[in-house]
Every structure is written in structure tokens, then in C-alpha cells.
CSV table of all heavy atoms in Angstrom, one decimal:
chain,number,residue,atom,x,y,z
G,1,MET,N,-42.6,-14.4,30.3
G,1,MET,CA,-41.8,-13.3,30.9
G,1,MET,C,-42.8,-12.1,31.3
G,1,MET,O,-43.6,-11.8,30.4
G,1,MET,CB,-40.7,-12.9,30.0
G,1,MET,CG,-39.4,-13.5,30.2
G,1,MET,SD,-38.1,-13.3,29.0
G,1,MET,CE,-37.6,-11.7,29.1
G,2,PRO,N,-42.5,-11.5,32.4
G,2,PRO,CA,-43.4,-10.4,32.7
G,2,PRO,C,-43.0,-9.2,31.8
G,2,PRO,O,-41.9,-9.1,31.2
G,2,PRO,CB,-43.0,-10.1,34.2
G,2,PRO,CG,-41.9,-11.0,34.5
G,2,PRO,CD,-41.7,-12.0,33.5
G,3,ALA,N,-43.9,-8.2,31.8
G,3,ALA,CA,-43.7,-7.0,31.0
G,3,ALA,C,-42.5,-6.2,31.3
G,3,ALA,O,-41.8,-5.7,30.5
G,3,ALA,CB,-44.9,-6.2,31.0
G,4,VAL,N,-42.2,-6.2,32.6
G,4,VAL,CA,-41.0,-5.5,33.1
G,4,VAL,C,-39.7,-6.1,32.5
G,4,VAL,O,-38.8,-5.3,32.1
G,4,VAL,CB,-40.9,-5.5,34.6
G,4,VAL,CG1,-39.7,-4.8,35.1
G,4,VAL,CG2,-42.2,-4.8,35.2
G,5,ALA,N,-39.6,-7.4,32.4
G,5,ALA,CA,-38.5,-8.0,31.8
G,5,ALA,C,-38.3,-7.7,30.4
G,5,ALA,O,-37.2,-7.4,29.9
G,5,ALA,CB,-38.6,-9.5,32.0
G,6,TRP,N,-39.4,-7.6,29.6
G,6,TRP,CA,-39.4,-7.3,28.2
G,6,TRP,C,-39.0,-5.8,28.0
G,6,TRP,O,-38.2,-5.5,27.1
G,6,TRP,CB,-40.8,-7.5,27.5
G,6,TRP,CG,-41.0,-8.9,27.2
G,6,TRP,CD1,-41.9,-9.8,27.8
G,6,TRP,CD2,-40.3,-9.7,26.2
G,6,TRP,NE1,-41.8,-11.0,27.3
G,6,TRP,CE2,-40.8,-11.0,26.3
G,6,TRP,CE3,-39.3,-9.4,25.3
G,6,TRP,CZ2,-40.4,-12.0,25.4
G,6,TRP,CZ3,-38.9,-10.4,24.5
G,6,TRP,CH2,-39.4,-11.7,24.5
G,7,VAL,N,-39.4,-5.0,28.9
G,7,VAL,CA,-39.0,-3.6,28.8
G,7,VAL,C,-37.5,-3.4,29.0
G,7,VAL,O,-36.8,-2.7,28.4
G,7,VAL,CB,-39.9,-2.7,29.8
G,7,VAL,CG1,-39.3,-1.3,29.9
G,7,VAL,CG2,-41.3,-2.7,29.3
G,8,THR,N,-37.0,-4.2,30.0
G,8,THR,CA,-35.6,-4.1,30.3
G,8,THR,C,-34.8,-4.7,29.1
G,8,THR,O,-33.8,-4.1,28.8
G,8,THR,CB,-35.3,-5.0,31.6
G,8,THR,OG1,-36.1,-4.5,32.7
G,8,THR,CG2,-33.9,-4.9,31.9
G,9,VAL,N,-35.2,-5.7,28.5
G,9,VAL,CA,-34.5,-6.3,27.4
G,9,VAL,C,-34.5,-5.3,26.2
G,9,VAL,O,-33.5,-5.1,25.5
G,9,VAL,CB,-35.1,-7.6,26.9
G,9,VAL,CG1,-34.6,-8.1,25.6
G,9,VAL,CG2,-34.9,-8.7,28.0
G,10,VAL,N,-35.7,-4.7,25.9
G,10,VAL,CA,-35.7,-3.7,24.8
G,10,VAL,C,-34.9,-2.5,25.1
G,10,VAL,O,-34.1,-2.0,24.2
G,10,VAL,CB,-37.2,-3.3,24.6
G,10,VAL,CG1,-37.3,-2.1,23.7
G,10,VAL,CG2,-38.0,-4.5,24.1
G,11,LEU,N,-34.9,-2.0,26.3
G,11,LEU,CA,-34.0,-0.8,26.7
G,11,LEU,C,-32.6,-1.2,26.6
G,11,LEU,O,-31.8,-0.4,26.1
G,11,LEU,CB,-34.4,-0.3,28.1
G,11,LEU,CG,-35.7,0.4,28.2
G,11,LEU,CD1,-36.0,0.8,29.6
G,11,LEU,CD2,-35.7,1.7,27.3
G,12,ALA,N,-32.2,-2.4,27.1
G,12,ALA,CA,-30.8,-2.8,27.0
G,12,ALA,C,-30.4,-2.9,25.5
G,12,ALA,O,-29.3,-2.5,25.2
G,12,ALA,CB,-30.6,-4.1,27.7
G,13,THR,N,-31.2,-3.4,24.7
G,13,THR,CA,-30.9,-3.6,23.3
G,13,THR,C,-30.8,-2.2,22.6
G,13,THR,O,-29.8,-2.0,21.8
G,13,THR,CB,-32.1,-4.3,22.5
G,13,THR,OG1,-32.2,-5.6,23.2
G,13,THR,CG2,-31.7,-4.5,21.1
G,14,LEU,N,-31.6,-1.2,23.0
G,14,LEU,CA,-31.5,0.1,22.4
G,14,LEU,C,-30.2,0.8,22.9
G,14,LEU,O,-29.5,1.5,22.1
G,14,LEU,CB,-32.7,0.9,22.8
G,14,LEU,CG,-34.0,0.6,22.2
G,14,LEU,CD1,-35.2,1.4,22.7
G,14,LEU,CD2,-33.9,0.8,20.7
G,15,ILE,N,-29.8,0.6,24.1
G,15,ILE,CA,-28.6,1.2,24.6
G,15,ILE,C,-27.4,0.6,24.0
G,15,ILE,O,-26.5,1.3,23.5
G,15,ILE,CB,-28.5,1.0,26.2
G,15,ILE,CG1,-29.6,1.9,26.8
G,15,ILE,CG2,-27.1,1.4,26.7
G,15,ILE,CD1,-29.8,1.7,28.3
G,16,ILE,N,-27.4,-0.7,23.8
G,16,ILE,CA,-26.3,-1.4,23.1
G,16,ILE,C,-26.2,-1.0,21.7
G,16,ILE,O,-25.1,-0.8,21.1
G,16,ILE,CB,-26.4,-2.9,23.3
G,16,ILE,CG1,-26.2,-3.3,24.8
G,16,ILE,CG2,-25.4,-3.7,22.4
G,16,ILE,CD1,-26.5,-4.7,25.1
G,17,ALA,N,-27.4,-0.9,21.0
G,17,ALA,CA,-27.4,-0.4,19.6
G,17,ALA,C,-26.8,1.0,19.5
G,17,ALA,O,-26.1,1.3,18.6
G,17,ALA,CB,-28.8,-0.5,19.0
G,18,ALA,N,-27.2,1.9,20.4
G,18,ALA,CA,-26.7,3.3,20.3
G,18,ALA,C,-25.2,3.3,20.6
G,18,ALA,O,-24.5,4.0,19.9
G,18,ALA,CB,-27.4,4.1,21.4
G,19,ALA,N,-24.7,2.5,21.5
G,19,ALA,CA,-23.3,2.5,21.7
G,19,ALA,C,-22.5,1.9,20.5
G,19,ALA,O,-21.5,2.4,20.1
G,19,ALA,CB,-23.0,1.6,23.0
G,20,ALA,N,-23.1,0.9,19.9
G,20,ALA,CA,-22.5,0.3,18.7
G,20,ALA,C,-22.5,1.3,17.6
G,20,ALA,O,-21.4,1.4,16.9
G,20,ALA,CB,-23.2,-1.0,18.3
G,21,LEU,N,-23.5,2.0,17.4
G,21,LEU,CA,-23.6,3.1,16.4
G,21,LEU,C,-22.5,4.1,16.6
G,21,LEU,O,-21.8,4.6,15.7
G,21,LEU,CB,-25.0,3.7,16.3
G,21,LEU,CG,-25.2,4.8,15.2
G,21,LEU,CD1,-24.9,4.2,13.8
G,21,LEU,CD2,-26.5,5.4,15.3
G,22,GLY,N,-22.4,4.6,17.9
G,22,GLY,CA,-21.4,5.5,18.2
G,22,GLY,C,-20.0,5.0,17.9
G,22,GLY,O,-19.1,5.8,17.4
G,23,LEU,N,-19.7,3.8,18.3
G,23,LEU,CA,-18.4,3.2,18.0
G,23,LEU,C,-18.1,3.1,16.5
G,23,LEU,O,-17.0,3.3,16.0
G,23,LEU,CB,-18.3,1.9,18.7
G,23,LEU,CG,-18.2,1.9,20.2
G,23,LEU,CD1,-18.2,0.5,20.8
G,23,LEU,CD2,-16.9,2.6,20.6
G,24,ILE,N,-19.1,2.7,15.7
G,24,ILE,CA,-19.0,2.6,14.3
G,24,ILE,C,-18.6,4.0,13.7
G,24,ILE,O,-17.8,4.2,12.8
G,24,ILE,CB,-20.2,2.0,13.6
G,24,ILE,CG1,-20.3,0.5,14.0
G,24,ILE,CG2,-20.2,2.2,12.1
G,24,ILE,CD1,-21.6,-0.1,13.6
G,25,ARG,N,-19.3,5.1,14.2
G,25,ARG,CA,-19.0,6.4,13.7
G,25,ARG,C,-17.6,6.8,14.1
G,25,ARG,O,-16.9,7.5,13.3
G,25,ARG,CB,-20.0,7.4,14.3
G,25,ARG,CG,-21.4,7.2,13.7
G,25,ARG,CD,-22.3,8.3,14.2
G,25,ARG,NE,-21.8,9.6,13.6
G,25,ARG,CZ,-22.3,10.7,13.8
G,25,ARG,NH1,-23.5,10.8,14.5
G,25,ARG,NH2,-21.8,11.8,13.3
G,26,VAL,N,-17.1,6.5,15.3
G,26,VAL,CA,-15.7,6.7,15.7
G,26,VAL,C,-14.8,6.0,14.8
G,26,VAL,O,-13.7,6.6,14.4
G,26,VAL,CB,-15.5,6.3,17.2
G,26,VAL,CG1,-14.0,6.4,17.6
G,26,VAL,CG2,-16.3,7.3,18.1
G,27,ILE,N,-15.0,4.8,14.5
G,27,ILE,CA,-14.2,4.1,13.6
G,27,ILE,C,-14.1,4.8,12.2
G,27,ILE,O,-13.0,4.9,11.6
G,27,ILE,CB,-14.6,2.6,13.4
G,27,ILE,CG1,-14.4,1.8,14.7
G,27,ILE,CG2,-13.9,1.9,12.3
G,27,ILE,CD1,-15.0,0.5,14.8
G,28,GLY,N,-15.2,5.2,11.7
G,28,GLY,CA,-15.3,6.0,10.5
G,28,GLY,C,-14.4,7.2,10.5
G,28,GLY,O,-13.7,7.5,9.6
G,29,HIS,N,-14.5,8.0,11.6
G,29,HIS,CA,-13.7,9.2,11.7
G,29,HIS,C,-12.2,8.9,11.8
G,29,HIS,O,-11.4,9.6,11.2
G,29,HIS,CB,-14.2,10.0,13.0
G,29,HIS,CG,-15.5,10.7,12.8
G,29,HIS,ND1,-15.7,11.7,11.9
G,29,HIS,CD2,-16.7,10.4,13.4
G,29,HIS,CE1,-17.0,12.1,12.0
G,29,HIS,NE2,-17.6,11.3,12.9
G,30,LEU,N,-11.9,7.8,12.5
G,30,LEU,CA,-10.5,7.4,12.6
G,30,LEU,C,-9.9,7.0,11.3
G,30,LEU,O,-8.8,7.3,11.0
G,30,LEU,CB,-10.3,6.3,13.7
G,30,LEU,CG,-10.5,6.7,15.1
G,30,LEU,CD1,-10.4,5.5,16.0
G,30,LEU,CD2,-9.4,7.7,15.5
G,31,LEU,N,-10.7,6.3,10.5
G,31,LEU,CA,-10.3,5.9,9.1
G,31,LEU,C,-10.1,7.2,8.3
G,31,LEU,O,-9.1,7.3,7.5
G,31,LEU,CB,-11.3,5.0,8.5
G,31,LEU,CG,-11.4,3.6,9.1
G,31,LEU,CD1,-12.5,2.8,8.4
G,31,LEU,CD2,-10.1,2.9,8.9
G,32,ALA,N,-10.9,8.2,8.4
G,32,ALA,CA,-10.7,9.4,7.7
G,32,ALA,C,-9.5,10.1,8.1
G,32,ALA,O,-8.7,10.7,7.3
G,32,ALA,CB,-12.0,10.3,7.8
G,33,VAL,N,-9.2,10.2,9.4
G,33,VAL,CA,-8.0,10.8,9.9
G,33,VAL,C,-6.8,10.0,9.4
G,33,VAL,O,-5.8,10.6,9.0
G,33,VAL,CB,-8.0,10.8,11.5
G,33,VAL,CG1,-6.7,11.2,12.0
G,33,VAL,CG2,-9.1,11.8,11.9
G,34,THR,N,-6.8,8.7,9.4
G,34,THR,CA,-5.7,7.9,8.9
G,34,THR,C,-5.4,8.2,7.4
G,34,THR,O,-4.3,8.4,7.0
G,34,THR,CB,-6.0,6.4,9.0
G,34,THR,OG1,-6.3,6.1,10.4
G,34,THR,CG2,-4.9,5.5,8.5
G,35,ARG,N,-6.5,8.4,6.6
G,35,ARG,CA,-6.3,8.7,5.2
G,35,ARG,C,-5.6,10.1,5.0
G,35,ARG,O,-4.7,10.3,4.2
G,35,ARG,CB,-7.6,8.6,4.4
G,35,ARG,CG,-8.0,7.2,4.1
G,35,ARG,CD,-9.2,7.2,3.1
G,35,ARG,NE,-10.4,7.9,3.7
G,35,ARG,CZ,-11.3,7.3,4.4
G,35,ARG,NH1,-11.3,6.0,4.6
G,35,ARG,NH2,-12.4,8.0,4.8
G,36,THR,N,-6.1,11.0,5.8
G,36,THR,CA,-5.6,12.4,5.8
G,36,THR,C,-4.1,12.4,6.2
G,36,THR,O,-3.2,13.0,5.6
G,36,THR,CB,-6.4,13.3,6.7
G,36,THR,OG1,-7.7,13.3,6.2
G,36,THR,CG2,-5.9,14.7,6.6
G,37,LEU,N,-3.8,11.7,7.3
G,37,LEU,CA,-2.4,11.7,7.8
G,37,LEU,C,-1.5,11.0,6.8
G,37,LEU,O,-0.3,11.4,6.6
G,37,LEU,CB,-2.3,11.0,9.1
G,37,LEU,CG,-2.8,11.8,10.3
G,37,LEU,CD1,-2.8,10.9,11.6
G,37,LEU,CD2,-2.1,13.0,10.5
G,38,ASN,N,-2.0,10.0,6.1
G,38,ASN,CA,-1.2,9.3,5.0
G,38,ASN,C,-0.8,10.3,3.9
G,38,ASN,O,0.3,10.3,3.4
G,38,ASN,CB,-1.9,8.1,4.5
G,38,ASN,CG,-1.8,6.9,5.5
G,38,ASN,OD1,-0.9,6.8,6.3
G,38,ASN,ND2,-2.7,6.0,5.3
G,39,GLY,N,-1.8,11.1,3.6
G,39,GLY,CA,-1.6,12.2,2.6
G,39,GLY,C,-0.6,13.2,3.0
G,39,GLY,O,0.3,13.6,2.3
G,40,VAL,N,-0.7,13.6,4.3
G,40,VAL,CA,0.3,14.6,4.9
G,40,VAL,C,1.7,14.0,4.9
G,40,VAL,O,2.7,14.7,4.6
G,40,VAL,CB,-0.2,15.0,6.3
G,40,VAL,CG1,0.9,15.8,7.0
G,40,VAL,CG2,-1.5,15.8,6.1
G,41,ILE,N,1.8,12.7,5.3
G,41,ILE,CA,3.1,12.1,5.4
G,41,ILE,C,3.7,12.0,4.0
G,41,ILE,O,4.9,12.2,3.9
G,41,ILE,CB,3.0,10.7,6.1
G,41,ILE,CG1,2.7,10.9,7.6
G,41,ILE,CG2,4.2,9.9,5.9
G,41,ILE,CD1,2.3,9.6,8.3
G,42,ALA,N,2.9,11.7,3.0
G,42,ALA,CA,3.4,11.6,1.7
G,42,ALA,C,3.9,13.0,1.2
G,42,ALA,O,5.0,13.1,0.6
G,42,ALA,CB,2.4,11.1,0.7
G,43,GLY,N,3.2,14.1,1.5
G,43,GLY,CA,3.6,15.4,1.2
G,43,GLY,C,4.9,15.8,1.9
G,43,GLY,O,5.7,16.5,1.3
G,44,VAL,N,5.0,15.5,3.2
G,44,VAL,CA,6.2,15.8,3.9
G,44,VAL,C,7.4,15.0,3.3
G,44,VAL,O,8.5,15.6,3.2
G,44,VAL,CB,6.0,15.4,5.4
G,44,VAL,CG1,7.4,15.5,6.1
G,44,VAL,CG2,5.1,16.4,6.0
G,45,GLY,N,7.2,13.8,2.8
G,45,GLY,CA,8.2,13.1,2.2
G,45,GLY,C,8.7,13.7,0.9
G,45,GLY,O,9.9,13.8,0.6
G,46,VAL,N,7.8,14.3,0.1
G,46,VAL,CA,8.1,15.0,-1.1
G,46,VAL,C,8.9,16.3,-0.8
G,46,VAL,O,9.9,16.5,-1.4
G,46,VAL,CB,6.9,15.4,-1.9
G,46,VAL,CG1,7.2,16.3,-3.0
G,46,VAL,CG2,6.2,14.1,-2.4
G,47,VAL,N,8.5,17.0,0.3
G,47,VAL,CA,9.2,18.2,0.7
G,47,VAL,C,10.6,17.8,1.1
G,47,VAL,O,11.6,18.5,0.8
G,47,VAL,CB,8.5,18.9,1.8
G,47,VAL,CG1,9.3,20.0,2.4
G,47,VAL,CG2,7.2,19.5,1.2
G,48,ALA,N,10.7,16.7,1.9
G,48,ALA,CA,12.1,16.3,2.4
G,48,ALA,C,13.0,15.9,1.2
G,48,ALA,O,14.2,16.2,1.2
G,48,ALA,CB,11.9,15.1,3.3
G,49,ASP,N,12.4,15.3,0.2
G,49,ASP,CA,13.2,14.9,-1.0
G,49,ASP,C,13.7,16.1,-1.7
G,49,ASP,O,14.8,16.2,-2.2
G,49,ASP,CB,12.5,14.0,-1.9
G,49,ASP,CG,12.3,12.6,-1.3
G,49,ASP,OD1,13.1,12.2,-0.4
G,49,ASP,OD2,11.4,11.9,-1.7
G,50,ARG,N,12.8,17.1,-1.9
G,50,ARG,CA,13.2,18.3,-2.7
G,50,ARG,C,14.1,19.2,-1.9
G,50,ARG,O,14.7,20.1,-2.6
G,50,ARG,CB,11.9,19.0,-3.1
G,50,ARG,CG,11.1,18.2,-4.1
G,50,ARG,CD,10.0,19.0,-4.6
G,50,ARG,NE,9.2,18.2,-5.6
G,50,ARG,CZ,8.2,18.6,-6.2
G,50,ARG,NH1,7.7,19.8,-6.0
G,50,ARG,NH2,7.6,17.8,-7.1
G,51,THR,N,14.1,19.2,-0.6
G,51,THR,CA,15.0,20.1,0.1
G,51,THR,C,16.2,19.4,0.7
G,51,THR,O,17.0,20.0,1.5
G,51,THR,CB,14.2,20.7,1.3
G,51,THR,OG1,13.7,19.7,2.2
G,51,THR,CG2,13.1,21.6,0.8
G,52,ALA,N,16.5,18.2,0.3
G,52,ALA,CA,17.6,17.4,0.8
G,52,ALA,C,18.9,18.1,0.3
G,52,ALA,O,18.9,18.7,-0.8
G,52,ALA,CB,17.6,16.0,0.3
G,53,THR,N,20.0,18.0,1.0
G,53,THR,CA,21.2,18.5,0.6
G,53,THR,C,21.9,17.7,-0.5
G,53,THR,O,21.6,16.5,-0.5
G,53,THR,CB,22.2,18.6,1.8
G,53,THR,OG1,22.4,17.3,2.3
G,53,THR,CG2,21.7,19.6,2.9
G,54,VAL,N,22.7,18.3,-1.3
G,54,VAL,CA,23.3,17.6,-2.3
G,54,VAL,C,24.9,17.8,-2.2
G,54,VAL,O,25.4,18.7,-2.8
G,54,VAL,CB,22.8,18.0,-3.7
G,54,VAL,CG1,21.5,17.4,-4.0
G,54,VAL,CG2,22.7,19.5,-3.8
G,55,PRO,N,25.5,17.0,-1.4
G,55,PRO,CA,26.9,17.2,-1.1
G,55,PRO,C,27.8,17.2,-2.4
G,55,PRO,O,28.8,18.0,-2.5
G,55,PRO,CB,27.3,16.1,-0.2
G,55,PRO,CG,26.1,15.5,0.3
G,55,PRO,CD,25.0,15.9,-0.7
G,56,ALA,N,27.5,16.4,-3.3
G,56,ALA,CA,28.4,16.3,-4.5
G,56,ALA,C,28.3,17.6,-5.3
G,56,ALA,O,29.3,18.1,-5.8
G,56,ALA,CB,27.9,15.1,-5.4
G,57,SER,N,27.1,18.2,-5.4
G,57,SER,CA,26.9,19.4,-6.1
G,57,SER,C,27.6,20.6,-5.4
G,57,SER,O,28.1,21.5,-6.0
G,57,SER,CB,25.4,19.7,-6.3
G,57,SER,OG,24.8,18.7,-7.1
G,58,VAL,N,27.5,20.6,-4.1
G,58,VAL,CA,28.1,21.6,-3.3
G,58,VAL,C,29.6,21.7,-3.5
G,58,VAL,O,30.2,22.8,-3.7
G,58,VAL,CB,27.8,21.4,-1.8
G,58,VAL,CG1,28.6,22.4,-0.9
G,58,VAL,CG2,26.3,21.6,-1.5
G,59,ASP,N,30.3,20.6,-3.6
G,59,ASP,CA,31.7,20.6,-3.9
G,59,ASP,C,32.0,21.2,-5.3
G,59,ASP,O,32.9,22.0,-5.5
G,59,ASP,CB,32.3,19.2,-3.8
G,59,ASP,CG,32.3,18.7,-2.3
G,59,ASP,OD1,32.3,19.5,-1.4
G,59,ASP,OD2,32.3,17.4,-2.2
G,60,ALA,N,31.2,20.8,-6.3
G,60,ALA,CA,31.4,21.3,-7.6
G,60,ALA,C,31.1,22.8,-7.7
G,60,ALA,O,31.9,23.5,-8.3
G,60,ALA,CB,30.5,20.6,-8.6
G,61,VAL,N,30.1,23.3,-7.0
G,61,VAL,CA,29.8,24.7,-7.0
G,61,VAL,C,30.9,25.5,-6.3
G,61,VAL,O,31.4,26.5,-6.8
G,61,VAL,CB,28.5,25.0,-6.4
G,61,VAL,CG1,28.2,26.5,-6.1
G,61,VAL,CG2,27.3,24.4,-7.2
G,62,ASN,N,31.4,25.0,-5.2
G,62,ASN,CA,32.5,25.6,-4.5
G,62,ASN,C,33.8,25.7,-5.3
G,62,ASN,O,34.5,26.7,-5.3
G,62,ASN,CB,32.8,24.9,-3.2
G,62,ASN,CG,31.8,25.3,-2.1
G,62,ASN,OD1,31.1,26.3,-2.2
G,62,ASN,ND2,31.7,24.4,-1.1
G,63,ALA,N,34.0,24.7,-6.1
G,63,ALA,CA,35.2,24.7,-7.0
G,63,ALA,C,35.0,25.7,-8.1
G,63,ALA,O,36.0,26.4,-8.5
G,63,ALA,CB,35.4,23.3,-7.6
G,64,SER,N,33.8,25.8,-8.6
G,64,SER,CA,33.6,26.8,-9.6
G,64,SER,C,33.7,28.3,-9.1
G,64,SER,O,34.1,29.2,-9.8
G,64,SER,CB,32.2,26.6,-10.2
G,64,SER,OG,32.1,25.4,-10.8
G,65,LEU,N,33.3,28.5,-7.9
G,65,LEU,CA,33.4,29.8,-7.3
G,65,LEU,C,34.7,30.2,-6.7
G,65,LEU,O,34.9,31.3,-6.2
G,65,LEU,CB,32.3,29.9,-6.2
G,65,LEU,CG,30.8,29.9,-6.7
G,65,LEU,CD1,29.9,29.9,-5.6
G,65,LEU,CD2,30.6,31.0,-7.7
G,66,LYS,N,35.7,29.3,-6.7
G,66,LYS,CA,37.0,29.6,-6.1
G,66,LYS,C,37.6,30.8,-6.7
G,66,LYS,O,38.1,31.7,-6.0
G,66,LYS,CB,37.9,28.4,-6.2
G,66,LYS,CG,39.2,28.6,-5.4
G,66,LYS,CD,40.0,27.4,-5.3
G,66,LYS,CE,41.3,27.5,-4.6
G,66,LYS,NZ,41.9,28.8,-4.3
G,67,PRO,N,37.6,30.9,-8.1
G,67,PRO,CA,38.2,32.1,-8.6
G,67,PRO,C,37.5,33.4,-8.2
G,67,PRO,O,38.2,34.5,-7.9
G,67,PRO,CB,38.1,32.0,-10.1
G,67,PRO,CG,37.9,30.5,-10.4
G,67,PRO,CD,37.2,30.0,-9.1
G,68,VAL,N,36.2,33.4,-8.0
G,68,VAL,CA,35.5,34.6,-7.6
G,68,VAL,C,35.9,34.9,-6.1
G,68,VAL,O,36.1,36.1,-5.8
G,68,VAL,CB,34.0,34.3,-7.7
G,68,VAL,CG1,33.2,35.5,-7.1
G,68,VAL,CG2,33.6,34.1,-9.2
G,69,ARG,N,36.0,33.9,-5.3
G,69,ARG,CA,36.4,34.1,-3.9
G,69,ARG,C,37.8,34.6,-3.8
G,69,ARG,O,38.0,35.6,-3.1
G,69,ARG,CB,36.3,32.8,-3.1
G,69,ARG,CG,36.5,32.9,-1.7
G,69,ARG,CD,36.3,31.6,-0.9
G,69,ARG,NE,37.0,30.5,-1.5
G,69,ARG,CZ,36.4,29.4,-1.9
G,69,ARG,NH1,35.1,29.2,-1.7
G,69,ARG,NH2,37.1,28.4,-2.4
G,70,ASP,N,38.7,34.1,-4.6
G,70,ASP,CA,40.1,34.6,-4.6
G,70,ASP,C,40.1,36.1,-5.1
G,70,ASP,O,40.8,36.9,-4.5
G,70,ASP,CB,40.9,33.8,-5.5
G,70,ASP,CG,41.1,32.3,-5.0
G,70,ASP,OD1,40.9,32.2,-3.8
G,70,ASP,OD2,41.5,31.4,-5.8
G,71,PHE,N,39.3,36.4,-6.1
G,71,PHE,CA,39.3,37.8,-6.5
G,71,PHE,C,38.7,38.8,-5.4
G,71,PHE,O,39.3,39.8,-5.2
G,71,PHE,CB,38.4,37.9,-7.8
G,71,PHE,CG,38.2,39.3,-8.2
G,71,PHE,CD1,39.2,40.1,-8.8
G,71,PHE,CD2,37.0,40.0,-8.0
G,71,PHE,CE1,39.0,41.4,-9.2
G,71,PHE,CE2,36.8,41.3,-8.3
G,71,PHE,CZ,37.8,42.0,-9.0
G,72,CYS,N,37.7,38.3,-4.7
G,72,CYS,CA,37.1,39.1,-3.7
G,72,CYS,C,38.0,39.3,-2.5
G,72,CYS,O,38.1,40.4,-1.9
G,72,CYS,CB,35.8,38.5,-3.2
G,72,CYS,SG,34.4,38.6,-4.4
G,73,GLU,N,38.8,38.3,-2.2
G,73,GLU,CA,39.7,38.4,-1.1
G,73,GLU,C,40.9,39.4,-1.5
G,73,GLU,O,41.5,40.0,-0.7
G,73,GLU,CB,40.3,37.0,-0.8
G,73,GLU,CG,39.3,36.2,0.0
G,73,GLU,CD,39.9,34.7,0.2
G,73,GLU,OE1,41.0,34.4,-0.3
G,73,GLU,OE2,39.2,33.9,0.8
G,74,GLY,N,41.2,39.4,-2.8
G,74,GLY,CA,42.3,40.3,-3.3
G,74,GLY,C,41.9,41.8,-3.3
G,74,GLY,O,42.7,42.7,-3.3
G,75,VAL,N,40.6,42.0,-3.3
G,75,VAL,CA,40.1,43.4,-3.4
G,75,VAL,C,40.1,44.0,-2.1
G,75,VAL,O,40.4,44.4,-1.2
G,75,VAL,CB,38.7,43.5,-4.0
G,75,VAL,CG1,38.1,44.9,-3.9
G,75,VAL,CG2,38.7,43.0,-5.4
């Protein structure tokens, strides 16, 4: 093979290697983002659980406050 062909093969190999390295780095960053988002989603789930409404408790509290409401309406 002539020298020009070898230079072309070497340059093509270097370009492909650089592109592969860049893609591997992108994959690494995407995996880090995925881990972070999983943590955020778990945190949002905890917040949603802690701030969920409790209809059974609301009825009990309203029943307990009925005498107070009646008194306030009478004043």
C-alpha cells in the first residue's frame, strides 16, 4: 500500500476513536443525569406522600370543631 493510503487509514482511525471517546463520555454524563433524576423522583414521591390529603382525618377534625363553629356563629 502506498504511504498516502496508510496516512488515510491512520487519520480515519484517529477520527473514529475520537468520536467513540466523545460518545462514551456522553453516555457517562447521561448515566449521571439518570441517577440524579432517580433521586429527585424519589424525593418528589416522599413529598407527595407527606403532603397527601387525609379525608378520614378531615371528617374527624370537622366533627370535633363543630361545637366551636356553633359557638362562633352564635356570637
